[in-house]
Amino acid sequence: MNSVQTGFGGLCLCVALITAPVARADNFEIWLVDQSNSFGKAYGGAIYVFSGQDLMGESAASAAPIAFLDLGQQVAELCLMKTGAPPVRPHMIVFNSTDSHAALSFVASGHVIFFDAPTRTPLDCLRMQPGAGGARQAHAVWPTRDDRYLLVANQNGKLFERISTDYAASSFVYEPAASLDLANCVTPNGHPCQMPGLRPDNAPICPFVGSAGSPAYVTLRGGGMLAVDPYATPISIIGEYDNGAIAGNGCGLIEAQGWVYLNAGGGTASNLEQFTVYRVPAAGYSPFNPPNTPAVDLLYDDPSHDRDAHGVATSRGERFVWMYDRAGNRAEIFDAVTGAWVNTVSLDGPLSPDPSPDLVAPSPSGNRHFLSLRDPNPLSGDPHASTGATPGLGIVQITEGGRNGFLKAIVRISNPDAGGVERADAHGIRMRRTR
């Protein structure tokens, strides 16, 4: 509390000013997911939590985690109790709109875990249902903007699924009746959702929800994309794109300047290398539209070897979009307003000969990007694209207002097995504001 005194005709007016605490730019955490099994187990994994204050200074390379969550202990016990199976291969992590809770997907076993974020306590464990061929995976998750639902890409099960979420009550209810069967559904235009030459492999890769009024999106392994209404039961299609408009394996989507930027990448045995960038409008979707409407803008397509578009982030103010390449060890930068390519930033060099940047989380100020860096023995994605030399957390300094940058530091993680072989393999990463 500050006291201000003002004089008026000999009268002293003493006014008490209550000043609210100012939010610091480094009031945040970075949660980094290690996919490798807990030591001595065939399940589990780990989450490293880093303080933003430790990551924003000149000594970021020496940052140590402020918390370490061994997912083979309390989380595994919870999943065994709730589902009868342990969680395997933690993959993608997200936070709800208030950063009070985290959700973590397990790609191999199909589990989704909810955490109380401030205390890091696991609250619930759900398991997705078997789909195509009896398979089930929880490859990636994404919350709706109003925190009513969490959307789940059940990859090999070829289901797009939904969990009802009430974070205030710590209530999480799996809704199988809402699932969209991507292998057998029909689009509003009467086309099969999955069909050779159209959308040949409808394994959902990554979901994304844009701003208010924007639909949810889900990319597909064999190419194409669907825009959906996530509130309908079952989830309903309101926009369809085929593989002639959008290629496969996209897993980088972000909204900027009224557009949704997305990519198509490699990393699977049938499509080892690709770096293609598109954008579509964030509005204008309707089940009455013809296919591939609104139209797709093709922004960048590099057919050369050793390229794999994956993680994406914006610079401060959404002025530029950075699309990272985990095979080529670089980032391509685009003007978020015009879509024009601006610059290439190389990430390999003295800090790492092969960082293999996977996913990315920006700092609140937008002047640093935090990357998950892959392992010599990657556990997901084709090794051709995913193999890296320095598993851990990469820190990119953004310069020139977002037009340029460089790899400033690496914080290594390690998880050697009983034979001494390094197994740590960073993948999921997310920023949480702590205010």
Side-chain angles (χ1 to χ4, degrees), residues 25-44:
D26 55 3
N27 282 350
F28 69 93
E29 297 171 343
I30 293 294
W31 289 39
L32 178 71
V33 178
D34 178 7
Q35 298 185 98
S36 62
N37 293 329
S38 298
F39 185 80
K41 299 176 180 177
Y43 55 86

Side-chain angles (χ1 to χ4, degrees), residues 312-327:
V312 61
T314 58
S315 64
R316 185 174 185 176
E318 297 184 356
R319 187 64 184 82
F320 297 97
V321 173
W322 284 55
M323 196 71 70
Y324 284 88
D325 180 349
R326 63 181 173 185

Side-chain angles (χ1 to χ4, degrees), residues 241-398:
Y241 294 89
D242 58 43
N243 64 351
I246 297 175
N249 297 316
C251 196
L253 299 95
I254 198 166
E255 186 173 338
Q257 303 293 337
W259 297 88
V260 173
Y261 284 77
L262 65 147
N263 62 37
T268 59
S270 61
N271 187 45
L272 289 176
E273 45 216 359
Q274 182 157 1
F275 195 103
T276 308
V277 180
Y278 312 92
R279 70 177 187 174
V280 294
Y285 296 87
S286 167
F288 301 106
N289 286 344
N292 302 320
T293 305
V296 179
D297 284 350
L298 173 61
L299 304 180
Y300 191 95
D301 186 33
D302 184 354
S304 60
H305 294 298
D306 296 325
R307 303 227 63 183
D308 178 26
H310 209 57
V312 61
T314 58
S315 64
R316 185 174 185 176
E318 297 184 356
R319 187 64 184 82
F320 297 97
V321 173
W322 284 55
M323 196 71 70
Y324 284 88
D325 180 349
R326 63 181 173 185
N329 293 311
R330 68 192 83 169
E332 305 294 348
I333 304 173
F334 300 86
D335 185 305
V337 176
T338 67
W341 173 86
V342 172
N343 195 14
T344 299
V345 171
S346 295
L347 301 175
D348 51 355
L351 294 181
S352 175
D354 185 12
S356 189
D358 202 290
L359 298 176
V360 54
S363 67
S365 63
N367 66 346
R368 285 192 179 177
H369 286 172
F370 303 101
L371 312 175
S372 55
L373 306 183
R374 301 300 297 273
D375 174 64
N377 301 289
L379 294 164
S380 64
D382 192 278
H384 171 85
S386 304
T387 298
T390 48
L393 176 68
I395 302 168
V396 171
Q397 182 69 48
I398 308 300

Side-chain angles (χ1 to χ4, degrees), residues 72-418:
Q73 297 182 359
Q74 190 177 5
V75 167
E77 292 171 1
L78 178 63
C79 289
L80 280 165
M81 179 184 69
K82 297 294 294 284
T83 71
V88 183
R89 199 73 65 245
H91 204 60
M92 300 281 201
I93 191 165
V94 294
F95 294 101
N96 65 332
S97 66
T98 63
D99 292 315
S100 64
H101 292 74
L104 173 66
S105 62
F106 285 76
V107 67
S109 61
H111 288 92
V112 176
I113 313 295
F114 291 91
F115 294 87
D116 177 89
T119 65
R120 338 278 194 214
T121 304
L123 301 174
D124 205 351
C125 176
L126 307 175
R127 196 178 191 194
M128 301 302 98
Q129 64 184 324
R136 60 177 153 195
Q137 293 181 306
H139 181 266
V141 292
W142 201 272
T144 58
R145 293 182 64 85
D146 58 6
D147 286 341
R148 283 178 58 190
Y149 297 113
L150 185 78
L151 305 178
V152 184
N154 184 338
Q155 184 176 252
N156 283 356
K158 298 188 177 181
L159 299 171
F160 195 43
E161 306 208 77
R162 189 172 78 193
I163 297 171
S164 175
T165 52
D166 183 343
Y167 296 104
S170 292
S171 173
F172 312 103
V173 180
Y174 176 41
E175 298 185 347
S179 297
L180 176 61
D181 183 349
L182 298 172
N184 298 295
C185 61
V186 175
T187 72
N189 285 287
H191 300 146
C193 288
Q194 179 172 277
M195 180 180 178
L198 192 68
R199 284 174 293 269
D201 180 4
N202 270 12
I205 303 299
C206 286
F208 176 74
V209 179
S211 59
S214 175
Y217 304 85
V218 58
T219 56
L220 304 170
R221 186 165 58 198
M225 182 177 73
L226 298 175
V228 304
D229 175 1
Y231 298 96
T233 302
I235 295 169
S236 65
I237 298 169
I238 59 172
E240 62 172 291
Y241 294 89
D242 58 43
N243 64 351
I246 297 175
N249 297 316
C251 196
L253 299 95
I254 198 166
E255 186 173 338
Q257 303 293 337
W259 297 88
V260 173
Y261 284 77
L262 65 147
N263 62 37
T268 59
S270 61
N271 187 45
L272 289 176
E273 45 216 359
Q274 182 157 1
F275 195 103
T276 308
V277 180
Y278 312 92
R279 70 177 187 174
V280 294
Y285 296 87
S286 167
F288 301 106
N289 286 344
N292 302 320
T293 305
V296 179
D297 284 350
L298 173 61
L299 304 180
Y300 191 95
D301 186 33
D302 184 354
S304 60
H305 294 298
D306 296 325
R307 303 227 63 183
D308 178 26
H310 209 57
V312 61
T314 58
S315 64
R316 185 174 185 176
E318 297 184 356
R319 187 64 184 82
F320 297 97
V321 173
W322 284 55
M323 196 71 70
Y324 284 88
D325 180 349
R326 63 181 173 185
N329 293 311
R330 68 192 83 169
E332 305 294 348
I333 304 173
F334 300 86
D335 185 305
V337 176
T338 67
W341 173 86
V342 172
N343 195 14
T344 299
V345 171
S346 295
L347 301 175
D348 51 355
L351 294 181
S352 175
D354 185 12
S356 189
D358 202 290
L359 298 176
V360 54
S363 67
S365 63
N367 66 346
R368 285 192 179 177
H369 286 172
F370 303 101
L371 312 175
S372 55
L373 306 183
R374 301 300 297 273
D375 174 64
N377 301 289
L379 294 164
S380 64
D382 192 278
H384 171 85
S386 304
T387 298
T390 48
L393 176 68
I395 302 168
V396 171
Q397 182 69 48
I398 308 300
T399 63
E400 300 177 25
R403 293 176 177 270
N404 209 343
F406 61 94
L407 183 60
K408 182 178 182 64
I410 294 176
V411 181
R412 296 285 296 269
I413 64 172
S414 182
N415 183 28
D417 63 18

Side-chain angles (χ1 to χ4, degrees), residues 51-64:
S51 165
Q53 296 181 31
D54 296 334
L55 295 175
M56 291 302 290
E58 290 302 311
S59 58
S62 62

